[in-house]
Amino acid sequence: MIGVLALQGAFAEHERCLERLGFEYAEIRKKEHLDVPLDALIIPGGESTVMGKLLADLGMLERLRGTVLSGLSVFGTCAGLIILSSEVEGGKASLGTMDVRTVRNAYGRQLGSFSTVSDFKGLGKIPMRFIRAPFVESVGSDVEVLAEVDGRIVAVRQNRQLATAFHPELTDDLSVHRFFLEDVAGL
């Protein structure tokens, strides 16, 4: 069972990707939803500040941090990347389970949103959609850089954690989701 954090943001788009790949999912909206054994978790894009506040207010933050640090595979996109980052410029760390320093809204506001096609390590060229996107400024020694666009890091992996600054769920391409489920989560 794949958990999809459904507090806010583009969770429905990730759920459609999971359906297309034949995986069952459960929406995670309350602390007790974390009682269900999960094989992996997706943290969608959205408003990272709102998502972080909701995680804290609903009493989910520490439990989720512990679960991820205990080995739950997790995939964060855009705001999900910010939630996973240990350091956030222009904001504060939330889960902080990934050893990366991330810059929020690094490409500017909504007008700075764009789409491109670029290389993703092991997947080749894939479509990438950036919406008020962050980028990763620096990574720890255990973090693998999977993709860069214009010299900026936009996809990283640290053990069973994957994060992208872009939104693969907003394209027709399922390769990043498949990579997460098969290679990162081992499902």
Side-chain angles (χ1 to χ4, degrees):
M1 180 68 67
I2 313 299
V4 180
L5 190 65
L7 301 178
Q8 189 269 340
F11 56 89
E13 288 80 358
H14 281 288
E15 292 170 355
R16 281 195 285 277
C17 292
L18 293 172
E19 288 171 358
R20 288 175 58 202
L21 289 168
F23 282 86
E24 292 185 23
Y25 61 86
E27 292 186 350
I28 308 298
R29 295 177 178 269
K30 300 176 182 176
K31 186 177 180 179
E32 51 267 29
H33 292 164
L34 295 171
D35 293 337
V36 176
L38 298 174
D39 298 310
L41 175 72
I42 293 176
I43 302 176
E47 295 290 336
S48 61
T49 304
V50 173
M51 239 186 284
K53 182 175 182 349
L54 286 170
L55 283 171
D57 290 351
L58 295 169
M60 299 170 69
L61 190 61
E62 291 306 319
R63 175 109 182 256
L64 199 50
R65 178 183 294 130
T67 304
V68 171
L69 290 175
S70 295
L72 177 69
S73 297
V74 63
F75 176 24
T77 60
C78 197
L81 162 63
I82 295 169
I83 296 284
L84 292 172
S85 298
S86 59
E87 284 186 67
V88 179
E89 184 178 304
K92 75 176 203 181
S94 188
L95 284 184
T97 55
M98 194 172 235
D99 188 14
V100 297
R101 177 178 169 80
T102 300
V103 180
R104 291 179 72 229
N105 298 329
Y107 295 94
R109 297 203 164 268
Q110 201 74 23
L111 292 176
S113 300
F114 65 100
S115 296
T116 190
V117 175
S118 191
D119 283 316
F120 189 106
K121 188 175 181 181
L123 301 179
K125 291 195 179 297
I126 62 166
M128 299 178 180
R129 184 137 189 231
F130 294 83
I131 300 173
R132 293 178 48 210
F135 72 82
V136 176
E137 187 175 62
S138 62
V139 301
S141 58
D142 289 342
V143 178
E144 180 181 14
V145 174
L146 299 173
E148 295 184 42
V149 171
D150 297 330
R152 292 177 164 177
I153 299 168
V154 298
V156 288
R157 176 182 183 177
Q158 182 176 4
N159 302 317
R160 297 175 65 88
Q161 298 181 76
L162 174 69
T164 62
F166 58 92
H167 293 267
E169 76 280 10
L170 298 180
T171 73
D172 289 333
D173 185 271
L174 295 172
S175 58
V176 178
H177 284 83
R178 189 175 293 115
F179 172 75
F180 169 64
L181 295 165
E182 293 176 359
D183 292 8
V184 178
L187 300 175

